[in-house]
Amino acid sequence: MPPDESDRSNLLLYSSPRQQGGAVDQTTLAVYGLFLERTQLEFNEGEHSIWNQDDHLPSHACNDHERSVSPSHNVEERVLQEIRPNFMPTRTIKVGPVDGNQDPRLVYHREQEGRIAVEPWATLSHCWGGSSPLKTTLATESQWQRGIPLDMMPPTFRDAVTITRKLGIDHLWIDSLCIIQDSAEDWEYEALRMNNVYKYGLLNIAADTSRTCNDGIFSSRNGPTAVIKLPLISQKSNIRSFMFVRPRQWNNFRNDTMGSSSTLSSRAWALQESILSPRTLHYGKQQMVWECLSFTLTESSAIARLDNNRPLLPGFSWSYKTLLPPGIVQRPSSQTLVEKDHDRHVSLYNFWLQIIANYTKRKLTVPSDIFPALAGIASILQVHLGDRYLAGLFEGDLLRSLLWQIIDPSSSATTSACLAPSWSWASVLGAIEPGINVNSSTISPQIVGNHAAKILKAETYRADGRITPAEYFLNAPTGVLLIEAYLLQGKSLDELQYEGGDLDSIEGDSTCPNTIYGREISIHLDMNEDMGKQQAVAILHLGAWDWNFGLTRPHSRRVETTFAGLVLRQSADVAQGIYRRIGTAKMSIRIVQNSPSYRFLEDAENLIASKWSKKTVTIV
């Protein structure tokens, strides 16, 4: 290879060819090598050219992909070109030199004359597990500033220090050491800054396989361990070193980073850490995986993403960084991507519901962390939406968001401490999904008809009774909704449901009838309860939503309409007439509309208006 070509990252190595049945058998040893050069100027100015497309563009195994891969780098350049703000974490661990002649120590970063010295830092994502990791407390804070001997650190922390040193990064942020754990004031302050800690960090180190801080980051690989040592020479970068290559055999990277092999992917705190970090280096069970805004790079393949975060190569799944649209996290709030238009807002509301669905499938060691562990993402969306945040829901999408439902009521539970009002998904511990399906971040059902509920008041309160402001993202144990809507009351759930009997006759023009091809009437409880003893239960109708799936043939279109509401019961511990949510009720109708005289929605709403009572209801 000529010297000027040694800097290129498109590297594909094969073992010696073997003839098998007339064909050449080639065993891939390595797919690519990647140099990511970054100058001090690029760091200070926000990485204007972090990707040099001439010299640093990885190819996916062959040069045929170079042209198709390169557009995805526009995302990286566009969203990271902003000026880095004057931000540093309150504390970091200064890891010390790579030779280990100095112990790591806790250091403070304070402003002087309105400025702060900004240096690169790495962050660590890890599982605390059932064990308590090394912590900073009011008693140990001054001791850690003098030094933290490596042999005092649990293995996961030691490995993170080693990685940070080897990468030439001076600072490392670890939650248990960089937040004073026995100071409620410091913990709340740092929880609200955590989005900046991760999104402005240079790199996130993900200890995917570590169940506790005592497991360490590095693990032994299964399979062949034979390697070949090759020289690595770059005149351009003044590198004269070597590299190791080995047979490629681990292609299923998702299991290492998002599946059963990754303990970290089951941890609630780790979701926002993965989404907010611009780059994540995963240490999986079988391989390392690199994620950034443009690529997922594994030891066996490269996966590019387009500007809309879809994988460029079919058959590959997204990373957690695709749960928000490009640029939302990295772009400063003063330069919002979201214009004041309906479609952009709906898109972000859809992203939020998808994030909640992923988040609630994960585990929290401390249930009261349910809001703080998501505060970083919530704060970013709140700025871009300009909307009120109410106990995990956004006011601008409140009617639809209130219809969340528990996937498995038999496994859901409440906690002894009240974490949220009953109408918030955070009031029940269990995996949820949107009650009004979100099949896409860009295509949404539309609320239709004339009988949608009206929200007259929506408030949440801190533990001390104060009303939470629009940008409050921590615990809000109580709240109140005042809603004007149609109410169907009864003594048991057996008496309550949306009625669909008369809907069979709503077929449009007799010469060109509509076809009803599906109807489902259901009640989803938040928890399995003995409802036979419950008194004063009710369904509160929130609205009807339409999906228009377009033309199935000329003059015909497929439509799905869902009528949905909350299942309520009168609260025994507050004044009469006050309700708590206990579930949702739905009726879904799927039709092929052939007739232009379509009266389906109007006639269905008339059934509700004639048999339900219009009330103003308070839900706590």
Side-chain angles (χ1 to χ4, degrees), residues 37-50 80-84 120:
E37 297 180 79
R38 194 165 185 270
T39 66
Q40 185 65 34
L41 177 63
E42 287 171 334
F43 174 79
N44 291 336
E45 297 188 357
E47 295 188 349
H48 285 261
S49 57
I50 184 171
L80 291 178
Q81 66 183 355
E82 318 296 345
I83 299 300
R84 178 178 290 273

Side-chain angles (χ1 to χ4, degrees), residues 48-69:
H48 285 261
S49 57
I50 184 171
W51 290 97
N52 182 313
Q53 294 190 13
D54 290 334
D55 292 320
H56 303 302
L57 177 62
S59 165
H60 182 267
C62 68
N63 291 332
D64 292 343
H65 290 280
E66 281 195 30
R67 184 170 297 177
S68 63
V69 168

Side-chain angles (χ1 to χ4, degrees), residues 204-215:
N204 175 240
I205 300 167
D208 281 276
T209 62
S210 303
R211 294 164 299 175
T212 72
C213 61
N214 295 314
D215 288 344

